[in-house]
Amino acid sequence: MFYGWKLAALITGGNFMLQGSAVYCMNAFMEPLCEVNGWTRAGLNLSMGLAVLAGQLAMPLAAAVSARRSLRLLTALGALAGGAATLGMGMTSSLALYTLWFILVWVCAQFCGGVVGNALISRWFRHFQGRAFGVANAGSSLAGVMLPFFCMALIHAFGVTAAYSVLGVVTCLLGPLAWWLVRDEPQALGLHPDGRRHEPHMPKAAPVNTSFAALIHSRQAWFVGIAYGLALMTASTFMSQMKPRFADLGLEAWPAMLLACLSALFAALAKYAWGWVSDRTSPLVASRLIMAMSVTSVALLLLPPSLPLLALFSVAFGGCIGGLWTVLPAVVSWYFGSQNFLAAYKFIAIILILRCAGFPVMAASHGLFGSYVLADAFFGASLLTALVLTFLLRPGDAVGNTHHRR
């Protein structure tokens, strides 16, 4: 097996324990945290919103640091600090302190996985980048399949603190594993990208100016950033609260959690599938398909709720939204070139701050109306906007369009 796939598996582990647990585990923790500490869902939504905002602001920072520091060191430190912060989340009854620990978890998620993981993949793969990004980012969705049930069982048996403690300790263990496995580039082990016997030939293309000033005037950067910011906003807010949403519609706790995990399962499977689509067609085609299918899946919520319909929504929404973090880095690399990945990704990450707006919208919808109806209308309109933006992108502007991606 090519060594790069081992690194992709490690990044999956980082995304599983940090990004995945931060998003999906709230399905298990939200109601117990409110009961034990006297918090409200609106308060927890605002806490999550601040944490996601901090994590989003950390993306350009992580991209800048990754260009200057060892990816191996950053991944190991991210795991250790993220694990310590997870432990802290279970040891406080103060919402303010909980939010601070939550912020640190989201920031660390960009270093153990996240931006640093994507930078690692961009160096170890060329022609199989889409599938490699899919494997590396599958961890966040796989967490949604397993961790909510696991945490729910731990909470029922031992309490909130014990559940957070187990998550924190396991996350810390990724630190020494990352230090042992990670190498910044394949050349450090005498290898070449994709496991080839020689450096892959890349056709000559016109140089791309990826300075901050140039990217400000780049329509590709703005369209990609806004489209994916809106889509990821919908993905994060929906997937973090599927179980409470289904419970509000009358389902019992365990069936509601089962549907939430079912959605995460299809999101995990979709990551590799969308990477394959991206490699076989182009990241732009994959972007248009994923946005169109996401709009269709959210439209299912307009129908009268029933168990079969909610199951269909869980499968359809997870299968669409799951590919966003796979196709996003692929489309950035395609438009700006692998050698410019970090510079372009750093700028686009700033625009992705849009995704943080979803949690205040959810808080306002539930606080004012006791339901998510207002939020659903807002997110549906956001996905339609994202779809339109992908059709405004031109294939001929992509550096990666100068050769056929296999």
Side-chain angles (χ1 to χ4, degrees), residues 30-402:
M30 178 170 282
E31 290 155 309
L33 283 171
C34 291
E35 292 172 8
V36 171
N37 298 313
W39 302 342
T40 65
R41 286 196 200 180
L44 274 175
N45 268 288
L46 292 175
S47 175
M48 285 190 289
L50 289 172
V52 174
L53 175 61
Q56 202 60 54
L57 291 172
M59 287 184 71
L61 171 64
V65 173
S66 297
R68 297 173 175 83
R69 295 290 183 266
S70 163
L71 302 184
R72 179 189 188 195
L73 177 63
L74 294 176
T75 303
L77 290 178
L80 293 173
T86 303
L87 286 166
M89 290 173 68
M91 297 181 180
T92 180
S93 58
S94 165
L95 183 58
L97 189 55
Y98 178 89
T99 302
L100 289 175
W101 288 122
F102 209 175
I103 286 172
L104 183 56
V105 168
W106 272 95
V107 170
C108 291
Q110 300 303 335
F111 290 88
C112 184
V115 171
V116 174
N118 284 335
L120 201 61
I121 292 298
S122 72
R123 296 182 184 182
W124 277 82
F125 294 90
R126 291 289 187 272
H127 291 289
F128 302 112
Q129 270 190 3
R131 277 162 277 193
F133 281 131
V135 171
N137 287 286
S140 56
S141 295
L142 286 173
V145 180
M146 298 178 240
L147 285 183
F149 269 118
F150 178 67
C151 290
M152 196 171 175
L154 280 177
I155 292 168
H156 280 220
F158 305 106
V160 169
T161 299
Y164 271 124
S165 297
V166 172
L167 292 177
V169 169
V170 175
T171 303
C172 285
L173 293 176
L174 287 174
L177 181 61
W179 185 257
W180 177 53
L181 277 179
V182 173
R183 297 297 181 272
D184 285 17
E185 296 178 342
Q187 290 78 9
L189 295 177
L191 302 172
H192 299 288
D194 300 312
R196 295 171 181 266
R197 295 182 179 179
H198 53 77
E199 197 70 19
H201 172 69
M202 302 297 290
K204 290 184 178 180
V208 178
N209 185 354
T210 52
S211 66
F212 192 84
L215 289 169
I216 286 178
H217 297 93
S218 168
R219 66 194 302 259
Q220 292 85 9
W222 282 102
F223 287 172
V224 169
I226 295 173
Y228 276 87
L230 293 172
L232 288 167
M233 173 184 68
T234 304
S236 297
T237 49
F238 266 72
M239 299 301 272
S240 68
Q241 295 172 58
M242 274 207 169
K243 187 263 183 181
R245 168 190 289 272
F246 293 150
D248 288 348
L249 293 174
L251 294 185
E252 297 294 330
W254 288 103
M257 183 64 82
L258 180 62
L259 285 184
C261 293
L262 179 67
S263 188
L265 172 62
F266 276 83
L269 296 174
K271 281 183 164 57
Y272 186 84
W274 283 109
W276 181 87
V277 172
S278 179
D279 285 337
R280 299 301 299 178
T281 57
S282 77
L284 180 56
V285 170
S287 295
R288 291 170 175 173
L289 285 172
I290 203 171
M291 299 302 178
M293 294 176 68
S294 297
V295 171
T296 304
S297 67
V298 171
L300 292 173
L301 294 174
L302 297 174
L303 301 174
S306 65
L307 183 58
L309 180 70
L310 294 178
L312 177 61
F313 166 73
S314 297
V315 171
F317 185 77
C320 299
I321 272 334
L324 289 173
W325 281 118
T326 296
V327 182
L328 171 59
V331 80
V332 172
S333 182
W334 192 65
Y335 264 105
F336 299 97
S338 294
Q339 69 278 13
N340 300 312
F341 176 80
L342 279 173
Y345 202 69
K346 177 173 64 176
F347 178 81
I348 289 172
I350 298 173
I351 307 173
L352 292 180
I353 290 173
L354 276 171
R355 68 187 286 242
C356 306
F359 292 101
V361 171
M362 289 284 258
S365 179
H366 198 274
L368 293 173
F369 302 102
S371 72
Y372 297 114
V373 174
L374 178 64
D376 291 347
F378 175 79
F379 294 131
S382 298
L383 287 173
L384 277 172
T385 304
L387 174 61
V388 171
L389 288 172
T390 61
F391 277 95
L392 294 177
L393 287 164
R394 295 191 294 253
D397 294 331
V399 171
N401 206 33
T402 60

